[in-house]
Amino acid sequence: MSDKVILKQTATKLVYREGDRVVKSFVPSHPKSDVFNEAFIQVCVEESGVPVPHVTRVFQNEEGGWALEMENVEGKTMRQLMEENPDKIDEYLERFVEIQLEVGSHRARRLRNTKIKMSDAVKSLTDIDASTRYELQTRIGGMANHTKLCHGNFVPSNVVIREDGSYCILDWAHATSGNAGGDAAATYLMFSIEKPELADKYLHIYAKKADMAIQYIQRWMPVVAAYQMTKHNPGEREILEDWISVAEYQ
């Protein structure tokens, strides 16, 4: 396949572009149900009206694992635009938050509830102490019940801007139906890990545009850090443990 272009490779998946399609191909140990579930989530989001790549098929790859195929979206990610035009960072962050709020205005009630997904993630963290898990579960239970579409990994590299200025959003594997404060907290956490110089700026822009108290978003931080810990990404555990250990934010 001479026209295959590798876009990303991790221990569990290979993402490549071939012609007008992009394929996320997983190792055989990756659950088949997870691949079909990701396809289901993306279709639900598309039906809600959010611009996403059209899923074209789910198939078994040559190694015996499963793969998700979708249309290729032409354009540049907001991460690329920020890196190419550092003088426009503030402008891009403003637009980034506006797009996130537009996503949250949609509903996809067939998706899993955010609070349930977070609660299950906390239960699985048996390597943290029971008192911390109890505090996290109590915090989750006290959060308001909403039905907004939450991306779960809304970062600049997952927002593609086309030449005509329209956007398309990638990577819906972690999407849920629930509380937008949790989604903002997840984005703030990823900025803190990957682009710490932009984290607080993002938080203040989001809070202002959403008319949401910063403290409300911060109350989600230990919870989303616990969820992020279940992904077992190298190099993140120490900072995530710091977020989880904080009982309250001032």
Side-chain angles (χ1 to χ4, degrees), residues 29-196:
S29 60
H30 188 82
K32 175 181 177 181
S33 58
D34 284 1
V35 183
F36 276 85
N37 186 56
E38 182 171 348
F40 170 77
I41 290 172
Q42 195 149 319
V43 171
C44 287
V45 173
E46 181 180 0
E47 290 177 346
S48 78
V50 176
V52 302
H54 302 297
V55 173
T56 50
R57 63 172 175 147
V58 177
F59 65 97
Q60 196 163 21
N61 59 34
E62 295 176 355
E63 293 74 34
W66 287 85
L68 172 63
E69 180 188 86
M70 65 199 86
E71 68 168 334
N72 179 49
V73 179
E74 296 291 345
K76 291 186 176 183
T77 67
M78 293 209 80
R79 178 172 180 171
Q80 289 174 302
L81 291 172
M82 289 177 180
E83 290 174 348
E84 293 173 3
N85 306 281
D87 57 316
K88 295 184 177 180
I89 288 289
D90 289 356
E91 177 185 330
Y92 289 137
L93 274 178
E94 294 268 349
R95 180 60 178 141
F96 176 77
V97 169
E98 289 169 359
I99 293 172
Q100 188 171 20
L101 292 173
E102 287 175 19
V103 170
S105 71
H106 291 261
R107 301 291 182 271
R109 290 182 175 84
R110 296 176 70 187
L111 298 188
R112 196 176 186 195
N113 177 268
T114 304
K115 289 172 64 173
I116 293 174
K117 186 169 186 176
M118 294 293 181
S119 179
D120 287 347
V122 169
K123 290 176 185 175
S124 73
L125 290 174
T126 55
D127 55 343
I128 64 175
D129 65 272
S131 295
T132 301
R133 293 200 306 273
Y134 175 81
E135 156 63 22
L136 291 168
Q137 294 284 19
T138 301
R139 185 175 293 235
I140 293 169
M143 296 299 185
N145 294 313
H146 295 163
T147 57
K148 293 184 177 182
L149 177 57
C150 299
H151 184 280
N153 188 27
F154 197 85
V155 293
S157 59
N158 282 332
V159 181
V160 177
I161 305 298
R162 299 186 179 95
E163 283 192 9
D164 63 3
S166 63
Y167 65 86
C168 188
I169 303 172
L170 314 177
D171 191 12
W172 290 90
H174 305 288
T176 55
S177 174
N179 193 304
D183 206 41
T187 299
Y188 177 59
L189 174 64
M190 295 314 298
F191 268 120
S192 298
I193 294 172
E194 299 177 1
K195 290 281 187 181

Side-chain angles (χ1 to χ4, degrees), residues 189-218:
L189 174 64
M190 295 314 298
F191 268 120
S192 298
I193 294 172
E194 299 177 1
K195 290 281 187 181
E197 70 276 11
L198 299 180
D200 285 341
K201 184 173 288 189
Y202 159 79
L203 182 62
H204 283 83
I205 292 173
Y206 185 95
K208 182 178 180 179
K209 286 186 176 293
D211 192 25
M212 184 181 293
I214 287 176
Q215 297 91 329
Y216 182 77
I217 299 170
Q218 289 174 326

